[in-house]
């Protein structure tokens, strides 16, 4: 029997395994809690609040009208909702489409301060200047989104409980467009159900992601606009809230997002996300550590969310591979046969366990959220169970490249023009 013994490489692998197990075990607890308790229950609101929907739109002519119409046709008093669309440096008919659909529409042509965060800063400041205290909160959406008829009603129920920031249930309107869009869709379903829903149920803080979130006008007014301009302004704001003990709530109000279809578009988008996570981590790690020291679990949760865990995975693989190569070349001088076999096993376990974990998450999420998956190609639901782990593992090269590559905001093209009924009928 070949034994490796208690050597440095054995100790290294044990420490890495122990760290990842302890660090992310809480997410397994989240899943168990949701399976037992289901969706969070929110009491009916005592007051119907007034809201402004803010939409940043860059060349979104095919889709922006459907979003505006889905908002204005909701089961919520029309006089308590206004939709603001900022047509940002557009070269198409985005302005006209939004205006015809019923939105208050502005044009913006700042080619230096590009991106959604700067549009939000412009829109918030102008709305506050022109309307004063009219709105209790601001919804933030992307132009390709669609909202359910009861979206604002459910969000208002949660907002009325006193939350200053809220996120919602992010579904997708093009699950079966490709294996890439299916993977995106499943990840966001998992994020809503088994992360934010669990956080809300357990009394800790959720995190906003992309669009479909609500912020109190008091926060926006206090900041004099919007002060988050890293590549991932959403996770930056979530981290700011965690570090400052502002609890972000969650409500099971459903909206639909359009996912990238091609791997190239996905690569570009996720490169920005990954670079943005690095920016947030290095900017807010100390603040989150202070929150952790004060026993604020939300700070720990966000630290684990933005921490470059994939880098540690790659470090582990690199150390084992290097030890395996150097040890093999030494012909037993630097490494025993048992250590070399353990390195091989560690490499197989590193990538094999990643696939298995994501495969299990795909099964759990698909079974749990099957009623929310709308697609005509039913076979895509099954094949996605197997391709989802592969998609997630493509973050490995992205993680490496994003460390060294300069990344700038690049708009994602949206052209799937469907309404709420179209999405439902695809089921």
């Amino acid at each position: 029997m070949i034994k490796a013994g208690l050597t440095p490489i054995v100790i290294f692998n044990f420490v890495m395994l122990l760290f990842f197990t302890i660090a992310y075990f809480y997410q397994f607890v989240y899943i168990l809690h949701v399976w037992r308790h289901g969706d969070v229950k929110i009491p009916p609101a005592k007051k119907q609040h007034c809201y402004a929907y803010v939409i940043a739109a860059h060349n979104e002519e095919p889709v922006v009208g459907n979003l505006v119409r889905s908002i204005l046709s909701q089961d919520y008093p029309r006089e308590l909702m206004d939709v603001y669309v900022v047509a940002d440096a557009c070269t198409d008919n985005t302005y006209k489409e939004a205006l015809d659909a019923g939105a208050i529409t502005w044009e913006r042509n700042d080619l230096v301060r590009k991106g959604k965060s700067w549009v939000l800063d412009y829109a918030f400041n102008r709305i506050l200047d022109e309307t004063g205290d009219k709105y209790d909160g601001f919804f933030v959406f992307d132009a390709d989104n669609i909202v359910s008829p009861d979206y604002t009603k459910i969000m208002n129920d949660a907002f009325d409980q006193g939350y200053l920031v809220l996120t919602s249930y992010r579904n997708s309107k093009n699950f079966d467009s490709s294996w890439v869009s299916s993977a995106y869709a499943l990840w966001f379903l998992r994020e809503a159900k088994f992360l934010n829903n669990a956080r809300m149920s357990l009394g800790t803080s959720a995190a906003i992601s992309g669009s479909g979130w609500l912020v109190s006008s008091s926060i926006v007014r206090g900041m004099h606009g919007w002060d988050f301009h890293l590549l991932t302004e959403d996770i930056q704001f979530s981290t700011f809230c965690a570090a400052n003990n502002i609890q972000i709530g969650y409500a099971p109000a459903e909206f639909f997002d359009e996912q990238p279809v091609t791997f190239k578009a996905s690569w570009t988008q996720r490169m920005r996300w990954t670079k943005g996570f690095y920016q947030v981590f290095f900017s807010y790690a100390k603040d989150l550590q202070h929150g952790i020291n004060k026993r604020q679990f939300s700070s720990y949760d966000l630290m684990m969310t933005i921490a470059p865990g994939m880098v540690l995975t790659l470090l582990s693989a690199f150390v084992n591979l290097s030890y395996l190569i150097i040890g093999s070349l030494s012909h037993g001088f630097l490494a025993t046969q048992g250590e070399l076999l353990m390195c091989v096993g560690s490499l197989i376990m590193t990538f094999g366990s990643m696939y298995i974990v994501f495969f299990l998450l795909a099964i759990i999420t698909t079974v749990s959220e099957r009623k929310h998956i709308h697609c005509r190609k039913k076979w895509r639901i099954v094949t996605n169970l197997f391709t989802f782990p592969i998609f997630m593992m493509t973050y490995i090269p992205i993680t490496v490249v994003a460390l060294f590559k300069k990344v700038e905001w690049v708009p994602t093209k949206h052209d799937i023009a469907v309404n709420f009924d179209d999405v439902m009928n695809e089921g």
Side-chain angles (χ1 to χ4, degrees), residues 166-178:
L166 283 161
T167 189
S168 54
Y169 188 96
R170 186 175 184 177
N171 204 338
S172 299
K173 65 183 185 181
N174 63 322
F175 183 99
D176 57 359
S177 290
S178 72

Side-chain angles (χ1 to χ4, degrees), residues 32-334:
L32 293 180
H33 180 81
V34 172
W35 273 107
R36 182 177 180 181
H37 297 280
D39 290 332
V40 65
K41 303 297 188 296
I42 300 174
K46 297 179 180 179
K47 176 184 176 181
Q48 291 179 316
H49 296 268
C50 186
Y51 301 106
Y53 276 77
V54 180
I55 303 163
H58 173 73
N59 289 345
E60 303 282 10
E61 177 185 345
V63 295
V64 68
N66 284 333
L67 170 59
V68 174
R69 284 185 286 271
S70 72
I71 294 171
L72 297 179
S73 62
Q74 289 182 97
D75 182 21
Y76 198 79
R78 175 65 183 84
E79 65 273 13
L80 296 179
M81 294 187 300
D82 287 317
V83 180
Y84 292 85
V85 174
V86 179
D88 187 42
C90 293
T91 57
D92 64 356
N93 290 322
T94 295
Y95 180 92
K96 184 177 184 304
E97 288 292 327
L99 193 65
D100 290 347
I104 300 169
T105 310
W106 297 324
E107 288 186 301
R108 177 181 180 270
N109 291 288
D110 190 333
L111 300 181
V112 177
R113 293 179 295 181
K114 297 187 295 183
K116 179 179 175 180
S117 66
W118 291 108
V119 175
L120 292 180
D121 186 53
Y122 168 85
F124 287 152
N125 276 308
R126 184 166 174 180
I127 292 171
L128 290 175
D129 287 343
E130 295 184 7
T131 65
D133 297 330
K134 178 179 179 179
Y135 304 110
D136 298 310
F138 297 95
F139 283 102
V140 176
F141 277 90
D142 291 337
D144 58 287
N145 299 158
I146 296 172
V147 300
S148 298
D150 58 355
Y151 182 89
T152 302
K153 179 182 180 300
I154 296 174
M155 291 293 280
N156 183 70
D157 288 341
F159 185 74
D160 198 55
Q161 308 306 310
Y163 290 96
L164 297 177
V165 187
L166 283 161
T167 189
S168 54
Y169 188 96
R170 186 175 184 177
N171 204 338
S172 299
K173 65 183 185 181
N174 63 322
F175 183 99
D176 57 359
S177 290
S178 72
W179 72 281
V180 172
S181 65
S182 297
Y184 269 95
L186 196 67
W187 178 260
F188 289 131
L189 290 176
R190 180 252 176 184
E191 180 183 77
K193 182 73 171 190
F194 294 107
L195 290 180
N196 285 330
N197 178 62
R199 290 162 174 159
M200 180 71 167
S201 180
L202 290 167
T204 183
S205 184
I208 66 170
S209 174
S211 57
W213 49 274
L214 168 64
V215 58
S216 170
S217 58
S218 61
I219 288 184
V220 176
R221 193 176 296 109
M223 292 189 300
H224 304 286
W226 191 248
D227 196 29
F228 303 95
H229 301 292
L230 296 181
L231 286 172
T232 48
E233 76 287 333
D234 49 358
I235 200 67
Q236 181 187 5
F237 179 57
S238 297
T239 307
F240 168 83
C241 289
N244 290 276
N245 203 25
I246 300 173
Q247 186 175 358
I248 300 176
Y250 162 82
E254 189 173 27
F255 76 99
F256 299 85
D257 194 17
E258 180 180 330
Q259 308 306 339
V261 176
T262 67
F263 186 79
K264 181 180 179 181
S266 168
W267 177 278
T268 301
Q269 185 184 67
R270 290 186 292 149
M271 184 68 69
R272 174 176 64 82
W273 290 353
T274 303
K275 191 71 171 184
F277 270 57
Y278 285 143
Q279 291 176 342
V280 174
F281 178 77
F282 291 117
S283 299
Y284 289 86
K286 289 185 179 180
D287 293 333
L288 290 176
Q289 187 59 52
H290 288 316
I292 294 172
N293 294 339
K294 295 178 182 178
R295 298 182 180 181
Q296 297 171 359
F297 183 76
S298 60
S299 292
Y300 174 81
D301 193 356
L302 260 295
M303 180 73 87
M304 291 300 99
T305 299
I306 67 173
M310 195 68 76
V311 172
L312 291 180
T313 301
L314 289 172
L315 173 64
S316 174
F318 175 77
V319 169
N320 278 277
L321 183 60
S322 300
Y323 198 89
L324 178 63
I325 294 173
I326 296 173
S328 298
L329 294 175
S330 72
H331 300 291
F333 180 71
L334 295 176

